[in-house]
Amino acid sequence: MKKFILGMLSLSGVMFSASSFASSGIKAGVEIDAVPYFLGGYYASVGASVDHWQLRYVTTEFETPDFYLQDGFKDNKVDVNAVILDYFLNEDLRGWWIGVGVENWQGKVKDSSSDIEKSYDTNLVTVGGGYTFYLTEHLYLNPWVGVHVPVSGDDKVNFSDRSFDVKTTGEVSVKVGYKF
């Protein structure tokens, strides 16, 4: 909940400072992503863009559906903080984009048979891309795909008779955004 409040305060700060960004050629924006909300969590990002480039801070929380987890585990709850650099093929930040970033996943997962819960802390590299469709001058939809690759930290969580593996994960979703 603290991260969600921090994210909302950050979004508010971007909204209030958007006019000062505009005079410098920097565009500010905010986004929400559909998938974390469907998974009982949230997603909020704030970003600043200039020319073809956009730098975003993302905070999100979700619970992985049990059918997506490896056998023997449940209740995988993950808090994510990320910094992502996107490159748009068009200078007006419309159309195709690709991005790369670093993420930190702090998760808790339970063993299905014992109900024992253990934590993990993993750093990942993320790579993705998508296409922004503007609905109005400022409001857009952003379908995207990405992959999250663990690079350091916990790569497995050991329980008494099995291990939960923190694996490379693919994702497909749609974000809704607003550029000031």
Side-chain angles (χ1 to χ4, degrees), residues 18-115:
S19 60
S20 61
F21 281 151
S23 63
S24 68
I26 298 174
K27 292 182 180 180
V30 295
E31 290 180 329
I32 59 172
D33 190 310
V35 167
Y37 291 97
F38 291 124
L39 299 178
Y42 64 86
Y43 173 107
S45 74
V46 296
S49 309
V50 62
D51 298 325
H52 294 266
W53 299 96
Q54 175 176 259
L55 184 63
R56 292 183 288 133
Y57 168 74
V58 176
T59 183
T60 188
E61 179 181 284
F62 63 89
E63 183 172 338
T64 307
D66 289 345
F67 70 83
Y68 195 73
L69 290 174
Q70 66 192 77
D71 289 340
F73 297 98
K74 66 180 184 176
D75 300 338
N76 182 40
K77 297 176 183 172
V78 185
D79 289 321
V80 178
N81 287 294
V83 176
I84 300 171
L85 182 63
D86 301 319
Y87 179 80
F88 284 79
L89 299 182
N90 295 318
E91 192 172 288
D92 63 0
L93 306 174
R94 295 171 183 266
W96 293 105
W97 62 271
I98 55 172
V100 63
V102 293
E103 300 179 339
N104 175 259
W105 289 15
Q106 294 185 359
K108 293 180 181 179
V109 64
K110 287 183 182 177
D111 178 277
S112 296
S113 59
S114 68
D115 221 28

